[in-house]
mmCIF file of all heavy atoms in Angstrom:
data_model
loop_
_atom_site.group_PDB
_atom_site.id
_atom_site.type_symbol
_atom_site.label_atom_id
_atom_site.label_comp_id
_atom_site.label_asym_id
_atom_site.label_seq_id
_atom_site.Cartn_x
_atom_site.Cartn_y
_atom_site.Cartn_z
ATOM 1 N N ALA P 1 -7.204 -16.198 -2.588
ATOM 2 C CA ALA P 1 -8.280 -16.287 -1.598
ATOM 3 C C ALA P 1 -7.737 -16.518 -0.215
ATOM 4 O O ALA P 1 -8.302 -16.143 0.802
ATOM 5 C CB ALA P 1 -9.234 -17.345 -1.975
ATOM 6 N N LYS P 2 -6.563 -17.190 -0.126
ATOM 7 C CA LYS P 2 -5.897 -17.483 1.163
ATOM 8 C C LYS P 2 -4.440 -17.170 1.006
ATOM 9 O O LYS P 2 -3.824 -17.426 -0.045
ATOM 10 C CB LYS P 2 -6.068 -18.949 1.529
ATOM 11 C CG LYS P 2 -7.383 -19.338 2.038
ATOM 12 C CD LYS P 2 -7.362 -20.793 2.541
ATOM 13 C CE LYS P 2 -8.565 -21.093 3.427
ATOM 14 N NZ LYS P 2 -8.433 -22.392 4.061
ATOM 15 N N ALA P 3 -3.849 -16.640 2.100
ATOM 16 C CA ALA P 3 -2.400 -16.402 2.134
ATOM 17 C C ALA P 3 -1.964 -16.164 3.569
ATOM 18 O O ALA P 3 -2.780 -15.781 4.428
ATOM 19 C CB ALA P 3 -2.060 -15.168 1.262
ATOM 20 N N SER P 4 -0.678 -16.334 3.811
ATOM 21 C CA SER P 4 -0.133 -16.078 5.142
ATOM 22 C C SER P 4 0.104 -14.581 5.278
ATOM 23 O O SER P 4 0.138 -13.847 4.261
ATOM 24 C CB SER P 4 1.192 -16.804 5.302
ATOM 25 O OG SER P 4 2.195 -16.280 4.479
ATOM 26 N N ARG P 5 0.238 -14.093 6.464
ATOM 27 C CA ARG P 5 0.506 -12.636 6.678
ATOM 28 C C ARG P 5 1.730 -12.151 5.901
ATOM 29 O O ARG P 5 1.657 -11.124 5.252
ATOM 30 C CB ARG P 5 0.582 -12.369 8.149
ATOM 31 C CG ARG P 5 -0.758 -12.431 8.842
ATOM 32 C CD ARG P 5 -0.698 -12.110 10.340
ATOM 33 N NE ARG P 5 -1.931 -12.446 10.981
ATOM 34 C CZ ARG P 5 -2.995 -11.650 11.060
ATOM 35 N NH1 ARG P 5 -2.902 -10.456 10.550
ATOM 36 N NH2 ARG P 5 -4.070 -12.030 11.653
ATOM 37 N N PRO P 6 2.844 -12.883 5.997
ATOM 38 C CA PRO P 6 4.011 -12.431 5.253
ATOM 39 C C PRO P 6 3.756 -12.426 3.728
ATOM 40 O O PRO P 6 4.214 -11.454 3.048
ATOM 41 C CB PRO P 6 5.117 -13.457 5.568
ATOM 42 C CG PRO P 6 4.714 -13.986 6.912
ATOM 43 C CD PRO P 6 3.218 -14.017 6.885
ATOM 44 N N GLN P 7 3.021 -13.390 3.190
ATOM 45 C CA GLN P 7 2.688 -13.378 1.773
ATOM 46 C C GLN P 7 1.813 -12.166 1.409
ATOM 47 O O GLN P 7 2.003 -11.558 0.360
ATOM 48 C CB GLN P 7 1.956 -14.653 1.375
ATOM 49 C CG GLN P 7 2.820 -15.878 1.409
ATOM 50 C CD GLN P 7 2.035 -17.179 1.240
ATOM 51 O OE1 GLN P 7 0.867 -17.253 1.614
ATOM 52 N NE2 GLN P 7 2.647 -18.201 0.689
ATOM 53 N N VAL P 8 0.854 -11.876 2.281
ATOM 54 C CA VAL P 8 -0.013 -10.688 2.033
ATOM 55 C C VAL P 8 0.830 -9.425 2.005
ATOM 56 O O VAL P 8 0.690 -8.608 1.081
ATOM 57 C CB VAL P 8 -1.088 -10.589 3.136
ATOM 58 C CG1 VAL P 8 -1.815 -9.215 3.050
ATOM 59 C CG2 VAL P 8 -2.097 -11.734 3.000
ATOM 60 N N MET P 9 1.702 -9.245 2.998
ATOM 61 C CA MET P 9 2.486 -7.980 3.010
ATOM 62 C C MET P 9 3.453 -7.892 1.836
ATOM 63 O O MET P 9 3.602 -6.793 1.246
ATOM 64 C CB MET P 9 3.283 -7.922 4.354
ATOM 65 C CG MET P 9 2.383 -7.724 5.544
ATOM 66 S SD MET P 9 1.071 -6.466 5.425
ATOM 67 C CE MET P 9 2.027 -4.997 5.262
ATOM 68 N N LYS P 10 4.005 -8.988 1.452
ATOM 69 C CA LYS P 10 4.885 -9.010 0.240
ATOM 70 C C LYS P 10 4.092 -8.619 -0.999
ATOM 71 O O LYS P 10 4.513 -7.769 -1.802
ATOM 72 C CB LYS P 10 5.486 -10.399 0.049
ATOM 73 C CG LYS P 10 6.495 -10.448 -1.065
ATOM 74 C CD LYS P 10 7.149 -11.841 -1.140
ATOM 75 C CE LYS P 10 8.129 -11.891 -2.270
ATOM 76 N NZ LYS P 10 8.832 -13.178 -2.366
ATOM 77 N N ALA P 11 2.874 -9.140 -1.119
ATOM 78 C CA ALA P 11 2.023 -8.810 -2.306
ATOM 79 C C ALA P 11 1.548 -7.362 -2.219
ATOM 80 O O ALA P 11 1.486 -6.678 -3.268
ATOM 81 C CB ALA P 11 0.799 -9.742 -2.309
ATOM 82 N N ILE P 12 1.228 -6.880 -1.045
ATOM 83 C CA ILE P 12 0.794 -5.470 -0.918
ATOM 84 C C ILE P 12 1.904 -4.526 -1.366
ATOM 85 O O ILE P 12 1.686 -3.601 -2.079
ATOM 86 C CB ILE P 12 0.394 -5.176 0.569
ATOM 87 C CG1 ILE P 12 -0.912 -5.894 0.951
ATOM 88 C CG2 ILE P 12 0.272 -3.684 0.809
ATOM 89 C CD1 ILE P 12 -2.180 -5.292 0.443
ATOM 90 N N TRP P 13 3.146 -4.827 -0.861
ATOM 91 C CA TRP P 13 4.255 -3.950 -1.251
ATOM 92 C C TRP P 13 4.557 -4.033 -2.708
ATOM 93 O O TRP P 13 4.883 -3.039 -3.344
ATOM 94 C CB TRP P 13 5.481 -4.235 -0.375
ATOM 95 C CG TRP P 13 5.361 -3.492 0.905
ATOM 96 C CD1 TRP P 13 5.048 -3.997 2.132
ATOM 97 C CD2 TRP P 13 5.467 -2.079 1.108
ATOM 98 N NE1 TRP P 13 4.945 -3.019 3.042
ATOM 99 C CE2 TRP P 13 5.185 -1.792 2.440
ATOM 100 C CE3 TRP P 13 5.734 -0.996 0.244
ATOM 101 C CZ2 TRP P 13 5.201 -0.530 2.962
ATOM 102 C CZ3 TRP P 13 5.733 0.265 0.778
ATOM 103 C CH2 TRP P 13 5.480 0.493 2.101
ATOM 104 N N ALA P 14 4.418 -5.222 -3.309
ATOM 105 C CA ALA P 14 4.612 -5.315 -4.756
ATOM 106 C C ALA P 14 3.567 -4.454 -5.515
ATOM 107 O O ALA P 14 3.895 -3.795 -6.479
ATOM 108 C CB ALA P 14 4.564 -6.794 -5.180
ATOM 109 N N TYR P 15 2.349 -4.533 -5.008
ATOM 110 C CA TYR P 15 1.255 -3.754 -5.616
ATOM 111 C C TYR P 15 1.548 -2.249 -5.479
ATOM 112 O O TYR P 15 1.385 -1.467 -6.435
ATOM 113 C CB TYR P 15 -0.085 -4.089 -4.944
ATOM 114 C CG TYR P 15 -1.256 -3.374 -5.524
ATOM 115 C CD1 TYR P 15 -1.974 -4.001 -6.574
ATOM 116 C CD2 TYR P 15 -1.698 -2.176 -5.094
ATOM 117 C CE1 TYR P 15 -3.069 -3.380 -7.151
ATOM 118 C CE2 TYR P 15 -2.771 -1.532 -5.656
ATOM 119 C CZ TYR P 15 -3.479 -2.137 -6.673
ATOM 120 O OH TYR P 15 -4.550 -1.498 -7.259
ATOM 121 N N ILE P 16 1.994 -1.808 -4.313
ATOM 122 C CA ILE P 16 2.283 -0.383 -4.050
ATOM 123 C C ILE P 16 3.381 0.092 -4.984
ATOM 124 O O ILE P 16 3.260 1.140 -5.618
ATOM 125 C CB ILE P 16 2.671 -0.166 -2.578
ATOM 126 C CG1 ILE P 16 1.413 -0.324 -1.678
ATOM 127 C CG2 ILE P 16 3.339 1.181 -2.388
ATOM 128 C CD1 ILE P 16 1.719 -0.376 -0.175
ATOM 129 N N LYS P 17 4.412 -0.734 -5.139
ATOM 130 C CA LYS P 17 5.532 -0.303 -5.993
ATOM 131 C C LYS P 17 5.145 -0.346 -7.467
ATOM 132 O O LYS P 17 5.456 0.577 -8.193
ATOM 133 C CB LYS P 17 6.738 -1.227 -5.719
ATOM 134 C CG LYS P 17 7.366 -0.938 -4.364
ATOM 135 C CD LYS P 17 8.484 -1.907 -4.044
ATOM 136 C CE LYS P 17 8.895 -1.868 -2.655
ATOM 137 N NZ LYS P 17 9.806 -0.832 -2.270
ATOM 138 N N LYS P 18 4.384 -1.372 -7.867
ATOM 139 C CA LYS P 18 3.927 -1.492 -9.261
ATOM 140 C C LYS P 18 3.116 -0.288 -9.680
ATOM 141 O O LYS P 18 3.212 0.209 -10.822
ATOM 142 C CB LYS P 18 3.149 -2.804 -9.444
ATOM 143 C CG LYS P 18 2.658 -2.993 -10.866
ATOM 144 C CD LYS P 18 1.845 -4.290 -10.988
ATOM 145 C CE LYS P 18 1.305 -4.464 -12.401
ATOM 146 N NZ LYS P 18 0.523 -5.658 -12.523
ATOM 147 N N HIS P 19 2.237 0.190 -8.794
ATOM 148 C CA HIS P 19 1.318 1.282 -9.079
ATOM 149 C C HIS P 19 1.793 2.609 -8.615
ATOM 150 O O HIS P 19 1.078 3.592 -8.654
ATOM 151 C CB HIS P 19 -0.087 0.916 -8.548
ATOM 152 C CG HIS P 19 -0.655 -0.292 -9.169
ATOM 153 N ND1 HIS P 19 -1.284 -0.287 -10.396
ATOM 154 C CD2 HIS P 19 -0.717 -1.606 -8.765
ATOM 155 C CE1 HIS P 19 -1.711 -1.495 -10.718
ATOM 156 N NE2 HIS P 19 -1.346 -2.315 -9.755
ATOM 157 N N ASP P 20 3.054 2.678 -8.095
ATOM 158 C CA ASP P 20 3.657 3.910 -7.649
ATOM 159 C C ASP P 20 2.744 4.651 -6.633
ATOM 160 O O ASP P 20 2.388 5.844 -6.884
ATOM 161 C CB ASP P 20 4.043 4.791 -8.847
ATOM 162 C CG ASP P 20 5.001 5.922 -8.512
ATOM 163 O OD1 ASP P 20 5.794 5.721 -7.551
ATOM 164 O OD2 ASP P 20 4.926 6.960 -9.154
ATOM 165 N N LEU P 21 2.444 4.023 -5.553
ATOM 166 C CA LEU P 21 1.517 4.560 -4.608
ATOM 167 C C LEU P 21 2.130 5.194 -3.371
ATOM 168 O O LEU P 21 1.440 5.566 -2.418
ATOM 169 C CB LEU P 21 0.471 3.474 -4.178
ATOM 170 C CG LEU P 21 -0.361 2.869 -5.280
ATOM 171 C CD1 LEU P 21 -1.294 1.785 -4.772
ATOM 172 C CD2 LEU P 21 -1.109 3.901 -6.023
ATOM 173 N N GLN P 22 3.447 5.306 -3.334
ATOM 174 C CA GLN P 22 4.114 6.047 -2.232
ATOM 175 C C GLN P 22 4.219 7.505 -2.533
ATOM 176 O O GLN P 22 4.482 7.896 -3.653
ATOM 177 C CB GLN P 22 5.530 5.458 -1.967
ATOM 178 C CG GLN P 22 5.489 4.112 -1.292
ATOM 179 C CD GLN P 22 6.910 3.569 -1.043
ATOM 180 O OE1 GLN P 22 7.518 3.068 -2.012
ATOM 181 N NE2 GLN P 22 7.396 3.720 0.136
ATOM 182 N N ASP P 23 3.991 8.309 -1.552
ATOM 183 C CA ASP P 23 4.154 9.781 -1.697
ATOM 184 C C ASP P 23 5.609 10.029 -2.107
ATOM 185 O O ASP P 23 6.530 9.492 -1.450
ATOM 186 C CB ASP P 23 3.856 10.444 -0.368
ATOM 187 C CG ASP P 23 3.919 11.986 -0.465
ATOM 188 O OD1 ASP P 23 5.027 12.501 -0.692
ATOM 189 O OD2 ASP P 23 2.858 12.618 -0.310
ATOM 190 N N PRO P 24 5.831 10.815 -3.149
ATOM 191 C CA PRO P 24 7.221 10.990 -3.625
ATOM 192 C C PRO P 24 8.127 11.747 -2.632
ATOM 193 O O PRO P 24 9.320 11.512 -2.631
ATOM 194 C CB PRO P 24 7.045 11.812 -4.924
ATOM 195 C CG PRO P 24 5.668 12.314 -4.905
ATOM 196 C CD PRO P 24 4.859 11.463 -3.987
ATOM 197 N N ASP P 25 7.551 12.586 -1.797
ATOM 198 C CA ASP P 25 8.350 13.297 -0.808
ATOM 199 C C ASP P 25 8.464 12.607 0.538
ATOM 200 O O ASP P 25 9.517 12.608 1.170
ATOM 201 C CB ASP P 25 7.755 14.719 -0.611
ATOM 202 C CG ASP P 25 7.802 15.530 -1.881
ATOM 203 O OD1 ASP P 25 8.799 15.405 -2.666
ATOM 204 O OD2 ASP P 25 6.800 16.241 -2.175
ATOM 205 N N LYS P 26 7.364 12.008 0.965
ATOM 206 C CA LYS P 26 7.320 11.281 2.260
ATOM 207 C C LYS P 26 7.047 9.812 1.942
ATOM 208 O O LYS P 26 5.885 9.394 1.895
ATOM 209 C CB LYS P 26 6.207 11.864 3.164
ATOM 210 C CG LYS P 26 6.445 13.306 3.500
ATOM 211 C CD LYS P 26 5.294 13.829 4.326
ATOM 212 C CE LYS P 26 5.423 15.283 4.572
ATOM 213 N NZ LYS P 26 4.192 15.855 5.218
ATOM 214 N N ARG P 27 8.054 9.040 1.764
ATOM 215 C CA ARG P 27 7.936 7.664 1.292
ATOM 216 C C ARG P 27 7.184 6.751 2.282
ATOM 217 O O ARG P 27 6.720 5.691 1.905
ATOM 218 C CB ARG P 27 9.338 7.041 0.991
ATOM 219 C CG ARG P 27 10.153 7.828 -0.021
ATOM 220 C CD ARG P 27 9.639 7.857 -1.386
ATOM 221 N NE ARG P 27 9.778 6.590 -2.041
ATOM 222 C CZ ARG P 27 9.165 6.219 -3.170
ATOM 223 N NH1 ARG P 27 8.407 7.065 -3.776
ATOM 224 N NH2 ARG P 27 9.372 5.053 -3.686
ATOM 225 N N ARG P 28 7.035 7.178 3.530
ATOM 226 C CA ARG P 28 6.294 6.401 4.507
ATOM 227 C C ARG P 28 4.793 6.489 4.304
ATOM 228 O O ARG P 28 4.034 5.711 4.847
ATOM 229 C CB ARG P 28 6.626 6.883 5.910
ATOM 230 C CG ARG P 28 8.051 6.660 6.359
ATOM 231 C CD ARG P 28 8.330 7.229 7.748
ATOM 232 N NE ARG P 28 7.326 6.753 8.724
ATOM 233 C CZ ARG P 28 7.459 5.637 9.432
ATOM 234 N NH1 ARG P 28 8.535 4.896 9.277
ATOM 235 N NH2 ARG P 28 6.562 5.283 10.312
ATOM 236 N N ILE P 29 4.355 7.457 3.479
ATOM 237 C CA ILE P 29 2.959 7.693 3.263
ATOM 238 C C ILE P 29 2.517 6.933 1.993
ATOM 239 O O ILE P 29 3.157 7.071 0.935
ATOM 240 C CB ILE P 29 2.634 9.164 3.118
ATOM 241 C CG1 ILE P 29 3.084 9.956 4.324
ATOM 242 C CG2 ILE P 29 1.193 9.398 2.831
ATOM 243 C CD1 ILE P 29 2.405 9.559 5.620
ATOM 244 N N ILE P 30 1.443 6.154 2.120
ATOM 245 C CA ILE P 30 0.907 5.431 1.015
ATOM 246 C C ILE P 30 -0.373 6.171 0.535
ATOM 247 O O ILE P 30 -1.215 6.490 1.324
ATOM 248 C CB ILE P 30 0.532 3.970 1.438
ATOM 249 C CG1 ILE P 30 1.696 3.242 2.093
ATOM 250 C CG2 ILE P 30 -0.043 3.172 0.237
ATOM 251 C CD1 ILE P 30 2.956 3.207 1.281
ATOM 252 N N VAL P 31 -0.379 6.426 -0.766
ATOM 253 C CA VAL P 31 -1.560 7.138 -1.376
ATOM 254 C C VAL P 31 -2.288 6.053 -2.187
ATOM 255 O O VAL P 31 -1.915 5.720 -3.312
ATOM 256 C CB VAL P 31 -1.041 8.271 -2.253
ATOM 257 C CG1 VAL P 31 -2.290 9.010 -2.851
ATOM 258 C CG2 VAL P 31 -0.117 9.230 -1.535
ATOM 259 N N PRO P 32 -3.360 5.487 -1.600
ATOM 260 C CA PRO P 32 -4.014 4.364 -2.214
ATOM 261 C C PRO P 32 -4.783 4.739 -3.496
ATOM 262 O O PRO P 32 -5.345 5.852 -3.612
ATOM 263 C CB PRO P 32 -5.013 3.892 -1.166
ATOM 264 C CG PRO P 32 -5.244 5.070 -0.270
ATOM 265 C CD PRO P 32 -3.979 5.856 -0.297
ATOM 266 N N ASP P 33 -4.842 3.785 -4.435
ATOM 267 C CA ASP P 33 -5.686 3.918 -5.603
ATOM 268 C C ASP P 33 -7.026 3.346 -5.177
ATOM 269 O O ASP P 33 -7.243 2.980 -4.016
ATOM 270 C CB ASP P 33 -5.099 3.196 -6.811
ATOM 271 C CG ASP P 33 -4.892 1.692 -6.621
ATOM 272 O OD1 ASP P 33 -5.258 1.155 -5.577
ATOM 273 O OD2 ASP P 33 -4.313 1.093 -7.513
ATOM 274 N N ASP P 34 -7.975 3.244 -6.116
ATOM 275 C CA ASP P 34 -9.325 2.780 -5.779
ATOM 276 C C ASP P 34 -9.342 1.361 -5.242
ATOM 277 O O ASP P 34 -10.038 1.054 -4.296
ATOM 278 C CB ASP P 34 -10.265 2.853 -6.987
ATOM 279 C CG ASP P 34 -10.595 4.280 -7.339
ATOM 280 O OD1 ASP P 34 -10.454 5.161 -6.493
ATOM 281 O OD2 ASP P 34 -10.984 4.527 -8.521
ATOM 282 N N VAL P 35 -8.526 0.473 -5.776
ATOM 283 C CA VAL P 35 -8.489 -0.967 -5.402
ATOM 284 C C VAL P 35 -7.925 -1.092 -4.002
ATOM 285 O O VAL P 35 -8.512 -1.678 -3.103
ATOM 286 C CB VAL P 35 -7.701 -1.828 -6.394
ATOM 287 C CG1 VAL P 35 -7.621 -3.249 -5.903
ATOM 288 C CG2 VAL P 35 -8.360 -1.774 -7.755
ATOM 289 N N LEU P 36 -6.751 -0.528 -3.756
ATOM 290 C CA LEU P 36 -6.112 -0.605 -2.408
ATOM 291 C C LEU P 36 -6.921 0.178 -1.375
ATOM 292 O O LEU P 36 -6.974 -0.169 -0.214
ATOM 293 C CB LEU P 36 -4.678 -0.088 -2.487
ATOM 294 C CG LEU P 36 -3.840 -0.256 -1.187
ATOM 295 C CD1 LEU P 36 -3.783 -1.699 -0.737
ATOM 296 C CD2 LEU P 36 -2.453 0.323 -1.399
ATOM 297 N N GLY P 37 -7.572 1.259 -1.837
ATOM 298 C CA GLY P 37 -8.398 2.054 -0.939
ATOM 299 C C GLY P 37 -9.557 1.262 -0.309
ATOM 300 O O GLY P 37 -9.959 1.599 0.802
ATOM 301 N N GLU P 38 -10.034 0.252 -0.997
ATOM 302 C CA GLU P 38 -11.090 -0.598 -0.437
ATOM 303 C C GLU P 38 -10.543 -1.377 0.792
ATOM 304 O O GLU P 38 -11.347 -1.818 1.625
ATOM 305 C CB GLU P 38 -11.635 -1.575 -1.453
ATOM 306 C CG GLU P 38 -12.384 -0.881 -2.592
ATOM 307 C CD GLU P 38 -13.646 -0.167 -2.086
ATOM 308 O OE1 GLU P 38 -14.376 -0.746 -1.223
ATOM 309 O OE2 GLU P 38 -13.899 0.984 -2.554
ATOM 310 N N VAL P 39 -9.275 -1.567 0.907
ATOM 311 C CA VAL P 39 -8.674 -2.302 2.048
ATOM 312 C C VAL P 39 -8.227 -1.315 3.143
ATOM 313 O O VAL P 39 -8.488 -1.546 4.305
ATOM 314 C CB VAL P 39 -7.463 -3.114 1.541
ATOM 315 C CG1 VAL P 39 -6.802 -3.846 2.708
ATOM 316 C CG2 VAL P 39 -7.904 -4.134 0.493
ATOM 317 N N ILE P 40 -7.482 -0.235 2.775
ATOM 318 C CA ILE P 40 -6.881 0.599 3.776
ATOM 319 C C ILE P 40 -7.549 1.989 3.914
ATOM 320 O O ILE P 40 -7.077 2.819 4.691
ATOM 321 C CB ILE P 40 -5.351 0.792 3.516
ATOM 322 C CG1 ILE P 40 -5.111 1.525 2.216
ATOM 323 C CG2 ILE P 40 -4.662 -0.549 3.556
ATOM 324 C CD1 ILE P 40 -3.645 1.896 2.024
ATOM 325 N N GLY P 41 -8.582 2.212 3.153
ATOM 326 C CA GLY P 41 -9.231 3.526 3.165
ATOM 327 C C GLY P 41 -8.695 4.361 1.961
ATOM 328 O O GLY P 41 -7.648 4.062 1.443
ATOM 329 N N HIS P 42 -9.398 5.364 1.661
ATOM 330 C CA HIS P 42 -9.074 6.158 0.446
ATOM 331 C C HIS P 42 -8.212 7.384 0.709
ATOM 332 O O HIS P 42 -7.867 8.091 -0.215
ATOM 333 C CB HIS P 42 -10.381 6.546 -0.269
ATOM 334 C CG HIS P 42 -11.077 5.324 -0.823
ATOM 335 N ND1 HIS P 42 -10.728 4.654 -1.970
ATOM 336 C CD2 HIS P 42 -12.149 4.627 -0.350
ATOM 337 C CE1 HIS P 42 -11.500 3.643 -2.149
ATOM 338 N NE2 HIS P 42 -12.410 3.598 -1.173
ATOM 339 N N LYS P 43 -7.839 7.596 1.968
ATOM 340 C CA LYS P 43 -7.001 8.768 2.272
ATOM 341 C C LYS P 43 -5.558 8.296 2.428
ATOM 342 O O LYS P 43 -5.295 7.131 2.816
ATOM 343 C CB LYS P 43 -7.439 9.397 3.619
ATOM 344 C CG LYS P 43 -8.800 10.026 3.537
ATOM 345 C CD LYS P 43 -9.201 10.649 4.833
ATOM 346 C CE LYS P 43 -10.599 11.277 4.764
ATOM 347 N NZ LYS P 43 -11.022 11.802 6.056
ATOM 348 N N PRO P 44 -4.569 9.174 2.152
ATOM 349 C CA PRO P 44 -3.186 8.801 2.390
ATOM 350 C C PRO P 44 -2.981 8.311 3.816
ATOM 351 O O PRO P 44 -3.568 8.843 4.756
ATOM 352 C CB PRO P 44 -2.413 10.087 2.102
ATOM 353 C CG PRO P 44 -3.289 10.829 1.115
ATOM 354 C CD PRO P 44 -4.691 10.505 1.597
ATOM 355 N N ILE P 45 -2.118 7.301 4.007
ATOM 356 C CA ILE P 45 -1.939 6.684 5.312
ATOM 357 C C ILE P 45 -0.489 6.304 5.532
ATOM 358 O O ILE P 45 0.197 5.941 4.585
ATOM 359 C CB ILE P 45 -2.881 5.430 5.431
ATOM 360 C CG1 ILE P 45 -2.857 4.853 6.837
ATOM 361 C CG2 ILE P 45 -2.469 4.388 4.427
ATOM 362 C CD1 ILE P 45 -3.934 3.768 7.049
ATOM 363 N N ASP P 46 -0.005 6.415 6.770
ATOM 364 C CA ASP P 46 1.308 6.014 7.122
ATOM 365 C C ASP P 46 1.465 4.486 6.962
ATOM 366 O O ASP P 46 0.488 3.772 7.301
ATOM 367 C CB ASP P 46 1.665 6.433 8.552
ATOM 368 C CG ASP P 46 3.059 6.120 8.965
ATOM 369 O OD1 ASP P 46 3.298 4.967 9.443
ATOM 370 O OD2 ASP P 46 3.950 6.955 8.797
ATOM 371 N N MET P 47 2.593 4.012 6.489
ATOM 372 C CA MET P 47 2.759 2.589 6.274
ATOM 373 C C MET P 47 2.538 1.727 7.476
ATOM 374 O O MET P 47 2.073 0.608 7.361
ATOM 375 C CB MET P 47 4.136 2.289 5.621
ATOM 376 C CG MET P 47 5.284 2.551 6.512
ATOM 377 S SD MET P 47 6.899 1.966 5.822
ATOM 378 C CE MET P 47 7.167 3.168 4.580
ATOM 379 N N LEU P 48 2.848 2.235 8.686
ATOM 380 C CA LEU P 48 2.654 1.427 9.886
ATOM 381 C C LEU P 48 1.146 1.310 10.223
ATOM 382 O O LEU P 48 0.709 0.279 10.693
ATOM 383 C CB LEU P 48 3.445 2.050 11.062
ATOM 384 C CG LEU P 48 4.974 2.052 10.876
ATOM 385 C CD1 LEU P 48 5.633 2.734 12.064
ATOM 386 C CD2 LEU P 48 5.469 0.627 10.734
#
């Protein structure tokens, strides 16, 4: 329910890696699943 920004980013990246959400050709692009899509939108997005 609460976390620091670095903790959030660490958890987000762990989630992305666990669920294999990086584009295989363009690793900078995140392809969200339904859960992550509620946070960052449902379209592929650049990591920055």
Side-chain angles (χ1 to χ4, degrees):
K2 284 187 164 188
S4 68
R5 288 179 190 275
Q7 289 171 332
V8 168
M9 294 312 296
K10 184 176 180 179
I12 291 282
W13 277 105
Y15 184 90
I16 288 169
K17 290 175 192 276
K18 178 180 178 182
H19 297 279
D20 196 28
L21 300 179
Q22 284 180 281
D23 183 294
D25 298 321
K26 298 177 186 172
R27 304 294 288 167
R28 294 178 53 89
I29 303 297
I30 307 305
V31 182
D33 61 5
D34 289 339
V35 176
L36 186 58
E38 292 297 318
V39 177
I40 65 172
H42 295 281
K43 295 180 181 177
I45 188 170
D46 183 272
M47 67 173 72
L48 296 177

